[in-house]
């Protein structure tokens, strides 16, 4: 059991002990409790027993690799995951696999920057776009900022922090067109070459979770050549006119 005020630990799963030790050192310096696992199996044990608030996961691990570990973590928890990857090419695979990670850092990295990313992701995981606590609704979808909860037809939808942040950003301003760059700035993701695809992958996953037919979205609409917008109430009346894409 935890002491009630303990906000929880950050888990790093990385077999290279010098990297792990450096990250632990920076996390502790920033005031976090850090846990280290040197392989995936031990990492999953710690996810089950210690319920970390954040996971830093290296892809190149002995035994069970980072891909497998990420999939297993997602069966257990929606905890934010930041992936460490040694090569740019892995980023492509990573996006293609849609593993549910929240951010990616390519090695070699600055531990200071890594800790800043961790802080930013934790902030937005706890935050949400609005502080008013006003529940945002459209059709059968509701977003409750105070509970950090999204429901569809009354059923809770499990979103990653990035998906929640994107939905919250767009749903707070129905009809406003967001470019991929706009949306990216709300996610605090880095990496210029992958910018468009990062947003498209997150939007694709969001649609799978909230749309009846992700090929004919009713909530998150594509603005061709620009980006995305959340549907306005008037989109419903237009739809009955049969003129929507
Ligand atoms: Ca490694």
């Amino acid at each position: 059991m935890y002491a009630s005020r303990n906000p929880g630990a950050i888990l790093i799963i990385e077999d290279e002990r010098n990297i792990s030790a450096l990250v632990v050192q920076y996390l502790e310096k920033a005031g976090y409790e850090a846990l280290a696992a040197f392989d995936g199996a031990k990492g999953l044990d710690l996810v089950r027993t210690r319920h970390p608030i954040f996971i830093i996961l290296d892809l190149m691990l002995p035994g069970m690799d980072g891909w497998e570990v990420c999939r297993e973590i997602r069966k257990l928890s929606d905890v934010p995951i930041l992936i460490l990857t040694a090569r740019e090419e892995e980023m492509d695979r990573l996006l293609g696999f849609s593993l549910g990670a929240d951010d990616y850092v390519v090695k070699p990295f600055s531990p200071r920057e890594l800790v800043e990313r961790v802080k930013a992701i934790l902030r937005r995981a706890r935050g949400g776009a609005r502080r008013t606590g006003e529940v945002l609704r459209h059709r059968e979808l509701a977003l409750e900022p105070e509970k950090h909860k999204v429901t569809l037809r009354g059923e809770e939808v499990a979103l990653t922090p990035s998906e929640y942040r994107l939905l919250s950003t767009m749903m707070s301003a129905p009809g406003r067109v967001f470019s991929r760059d706009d949306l990216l700035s709300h996610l605090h993701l880095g990496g210029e070459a992958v910018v468009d695809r990062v947003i498209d992958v997150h939007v694709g996953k969001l649609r799978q979770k909230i749309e009846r037919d992700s090929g004919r979205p009713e909530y998150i609409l594509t603005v061709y050549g620009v980006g995305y917008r959340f549907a306005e109430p008037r989109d419903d009346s237009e739809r009955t006119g049969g003129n929507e894409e």
Side-chain angles (χ1 to χ4, degrees):
M1 294 296 287
Y2 301 109
S4 60
R5 295 205 161 218
N6 188 338
I10 295 177
L11 169 63
I12 171 162
I13 307 175
E14 161 68 280
D15 60 310
E16 286 169 78
R17 302 202 178 208
N18 54 343
I19 294 179
S20 173
L22 191 66
V23 171
V24 165
Q25 183 193 327
Y26 272 79
L27 287 172
E28 288 178 345
K29 206 160 42 172
Y32 295 106
E33 182 190 354
L35 302 169
F38 303 122
D39 62 62
K42 178 66 181 170
L44 287 171
D45 279 349
L46 289 173
V47 174
R48 290 190 189 95
T49 57
R50 299 292 304 273
H51 307 289
I53 57 166
F54 195 99
I55 296 172
I56 299 168
L57 172 65
D58 184 46
L59 284 183
M60 299 282 278
L61 294 168
M64 187 190 297
D65 72 12
W67 310 103
E68 184 74 32
V69 176
C70 191
R71 272 191 292 272
E72 292 300 316
I73 292 171
R74 275 288 169 260
K75 290 179 191 168
L76 300 169
S77 161
D78 282 326
V79 62
I81 300 175
L82 183 148
I83 283 192
L84 297 179
T85 164
R87 299 192 314 267
E88 290 282 355
E89 308 94 85
E90 284 178 331
M91 300 277 285
D92 291 338
R93 239 186 109 193
L94 197 79
L95 291 169
F97 275 63
S98 300
L99 287 174
D102 295 279
D103 204 351
Y104 319 92
V105 168
V106 178
K107 293 178 177 178
F109 58 87
S110 136
R112 190 186 308 273
E113 192 202 330
L114 179 73
V115 171
E116 288 307 312
R117 296 266 199 118
V118 170
K119 284 185 191 168
I121 294 167
L122 284 173
R123 259 200 309 274
R124 75 182 189 236
R126 288 179 185 140
R130 291 197 173 187
R131 297 202 168 182
T132 60
E134 183 190 338
V135 177
L136 307 175
R137 294 180 195 282
H138 183 76
R139 297 168 73 100
E140 297 168 314
L141 188 68
L143 185 146
E144 302 172 58
E146 285 190 341
K147 295 183 184 168
H148 205 266
K149 184 173 159 186
V150 172
T151 56
L152 182 67
R153 294 183 283 280
E155 300 279 315
E156 184 162 2
V157 184
L159 299 180
T160 66
S162 295
E163 289 164 1
Y164 178 87
R165 184 73 183 174
L166 273 182
L167 183 63
S168 162
T169 299
M170 287 191 279
M171 216 172 163
S172 299
R176 179 180 154 193
V177 176
F178 291 93
S179 71
R180 291 176 176 83
D181 281 349
D182 290 338
L183 293 173
L184 200 82
S185 70
H186 285 275
L187 290 188
H188 312 289
L189 289 174
E192 282 150 33
V194 293
V195 162
D196 287 5
R197 280 173 300 148
V198 169
I199 294 300
D200 294 343
V201 166
H202 282 305
V203 167
K205 285 192 288 179
L206 251 178
R207 280 176 169 165
Q208 283 168 19
K209 292 179 182 180
I210 65 174
E211 303 283 359
R212 282 179 191 273
D213 175 358
S214 51
R216 292 175 56 84
E218 297 170 288
Y219 296 108
I220 300 176
L221 308 180
T222 300
V223 182
Y224 288 102
V226 184
Y228 299 98
R229 68 182 174 88
F230 195 84
E232 292 173 274
R234 66 180 181 83
D235 285 309
D236 292 340
S237 48
E238 280 175 2
R239 183 175 297 275
T240 56
N243 213 13
E244 187 76 15
E245 29 132 347

